[in-house]
Amino acid sequence: TSNWMYYLFQHSELWVAAFKYVETLTPDTPDGQYQIMGDDVYALVGSGETRMLDENTMLELHWKYCDLHIPLAGMEHIVTSPIDTLETITSYAENEDNAVYHLNDYERSDFALTPGHFLLIMAGEGHAPRLHVRGKPRPIKKAVIKINHEKLLG
């Protein structure tokens, strides 16, 4: 996460606030939601297990917030995919800032994240977090920093 300052945005105060908060996170941070800059930047910290990447994998999509994925302990696999060729499972619900799509296994990008790394998923990008590729489920503790997309880009 030490290279975050190379990513510059029109309204970088949101970006800086997000990473100043990230610097305070440890694997011992309690699960929960944390306000950083009101509704414009907040964190969701959670623990659980990864799930298998398979033909039943679903992608989520948000239009209001970007997701900054930060593993705190463990490793996760995240898949992203353009949504224009995906089958819609649940249409976009503005009050939840969420839509669900079925993963098209042939049009995807794969990312492996470990502590010290981050992945920024921009609004409108389909993604499936908390995955593992092979083997058994693994424990994962992570933070997702939600950043208001329109205000971040200006």
Side-chain angles (χ1 to χ4, degrees):
T1 55
S2 61
N3 64 341
W4 66 267
M5 74 287 296
Y6 298 120
Y7 294 76
L8 298 177
F9 293 98
Q10 179 74 22
H11 294 282
S12 60
E13 69 274 4
L14 300 177
W15 188 246
V16 171
F19 274 95
K20 291 295 181 187
Y21 179 76
V22 166
E23 291 173 354
T24 71
L25 294 171
T26 71
D28 296 324
T29 301
D31 292 356
Q33 182 170 325
Y34 298 87
Q35 295 300 101
I36 300 169
M37 286 185 70
D39 290 337
D40 291 333
V41 184
Y42 63 94
L44 302 171
V45 177
S47 302
E49 289 192 333
T50 58
R51 62 187 195 280
M52 186 66 179
L53 172 62
D54 61 21
E55 65 276 356
N56 297 314
T57 298
M58 302 294 162
L59 292 103
E60 58 188 61
L61 174 134
H62 317 293
W63 286 110
K64 184 175 180 182
Y65 289 96
C66 302
D67 281 359
L68 180 62
H69 293 260
I70 310 279
L72 303 175
M75 182 175 94
E76 79 173 314
H77 186 94
I78 297 178
V79 171
T80 64
S81 183
I83 62 165
D84 55 346
T85 62
L86 301 179
E87 174 191 358
T88 302
I89 302 301
T90 305
S91 296
Y92 181 73
E94 187 172 349
N95 62 325
E96 296 177 6
D97 189 34
N98 199 56
V100 178
Y101 296 85
H102 189 264
L103 174 64
N104 174 344
D105 198 40
Y106 299 105
E107 294 189 35
R108 70 176 212 219
S109 297
D110 296 69
F111 301 90
L113 289 181
T114 56
H117 296 95
F118 67 88
L119 179 63
L120 178 64
I121 305 288
M122 298 301 284
E125 295 180 334
H127 57 288
R130 290 190 179 219
L131 300 173
H132 64 273
V133 178
R134 55 180 108 61
K136 295 188 277 189
R138 300 177 188 138
I140 180 78
K141 175 134 188 182
K142 68 181 291 186
V144 177
I145 312 298
K146 308 289 275 184
I147 305 172
N148 183 299
H149 176 75
E150 286 183 14
K151 291 184 179 180
L152 180 64
L153 298 182

